[in-house]
């Protein structure tokens, strides 16, 4: 055999070995589950208002909510992702006052809260809202369809109680981070005067 022929054979064998190792390395990495998320957490109501394109007061009209997959299809966000389920719960809300953004008072919207049960997947509900209660929502429009919204920062649901803005969340780190001091209702409403 000539040296040139041997060199070509060795190069082909080395290339095949490298390709095989690369293939199995990529396959191994695909099977590993790696989760990483960055979270925006509001420490006061001003941060929540500033970061949200829409701020409303609204009354929850159903206390149970409707389960759905929050994970959307990358090619068509109006559809669910078929392979990955992220449980969420949609609550029907009647808009009682628009504080920021372009919704109409009286609109019927759905607000997604992470957690719940969907297709045998369960996750703790990130906030508990009650039918008939009025809340402040700092939200953004969802790509999943018209009249559907989600929280833009955590916590994203609040109530005015006993002259304070109270964060509504089942996640302790969000409640602990939200350090709003006492604020009168008048001071709260002043934030929305132009």
């Amino acid at each position: 055999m000539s040296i040139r022929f041997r060199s070509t054979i060795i190069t082909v064998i080395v290339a095949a070995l490298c390709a095989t190792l690369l293939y199995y390395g990529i396959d191994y990495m695909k099977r590993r589950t790696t989760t990483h998320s960055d979270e925006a957490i509001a420490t006061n109501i001003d941060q929540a208002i500033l970061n949200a394109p829409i701020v409303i007061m609204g009354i929850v009209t159903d206390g149970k909510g409707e389960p759905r997959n929050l994970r959307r299809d990358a090619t068509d966000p109006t559809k669910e992702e078929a392979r990955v389920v992220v449980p969420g719960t949609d609550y029907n809300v009647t808009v009682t006052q628009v504080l920021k953004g372009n919704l109409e008072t009286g609109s019927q919207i759905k607000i997604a809260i992470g957690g719940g049960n969907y297709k045998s997947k369960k996750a703790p509900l990130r906030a508990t809202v009650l039918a008939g209660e009025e809340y402040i929502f700092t939200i953004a429009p969802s790509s999943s369809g018209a009249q559907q919204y989600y929280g833009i920062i955590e916590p994203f649901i609040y109530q005015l109680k006993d002259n304070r803005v109270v964060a509504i969340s089942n996640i302790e780190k969000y409640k602990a981070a939200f350090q709003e001091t006492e604020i009168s209702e008048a001071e709260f409403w002043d934030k929305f005067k132009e």
Side-chain angles (χ1 to χ4, degrees), residues 9-21:
I9 295 289
I10 291 172
T11 302
V12 169
I13 292 171
V14 169
L17 285 171
C18 287
T20 303
L21 288 173

Side-chain angles (χ1 to χ4, degrees), residues 22-138:
L22 183 62
Y23 171 79
Y24 284 110
I26 290 171
D27 184 55
Y28 173 75
M29 292 305 286
K30 280 183 181 178
R31 284 186 275 137
R32 288 185 51 197
T33 301
T34 305
T35 305
H36 179 322
S37 67
D38 293 325
E39 295 178 295
I41 301 174
T43 58
N44 60 49
I45 195 66
D46 291 327
Q47 284 180 325
I49 293 167
L50 179 67
N51 285 289
I54 299 169
V55 179
I56 63 160
M57 300 278 297
I59 295 176
V60 175
T61 58
D62 64 348
K64 215 172 184 185
E66 180 182 331
R68 76 173 171 106
N69 187 1
L70 295 180
R71 185 70 173 261
R72 309 317 300 162
D73 183 295
T75 57
D76 184 359
T78 62
K79 296 180 182 172
E80 305 180 345
E81 167 64 50
R83 295 167 288 166
V84 178
V85 173
V86 177
T89 306
D90 280 338
Y91 289 90
N92 293 313
V93 173
T94 300
V95 178
T96 57
Q97 196 162 5
V98 179
L99 306 173
K100 180 180 175 184
N102 58 357
L103 281 175
E104 295 291 325
T105 300
S107 298
Q108 301 293 314
I109 64 173
K110 290 182 182 286
I111 296 180
I113 296 177
N117 300 323
Y118 187 75
K119 291 188 177 178
S120 74
K121 297 277 186 177
K122 294 181 180 184
L125 200 57
R126 296 172 79 86
T128 301
V129 293
L130 303 172
E133 290 283 320
E134 187 172 40
Y135 299 93
I136 302 161
F137 296 95
T138 56

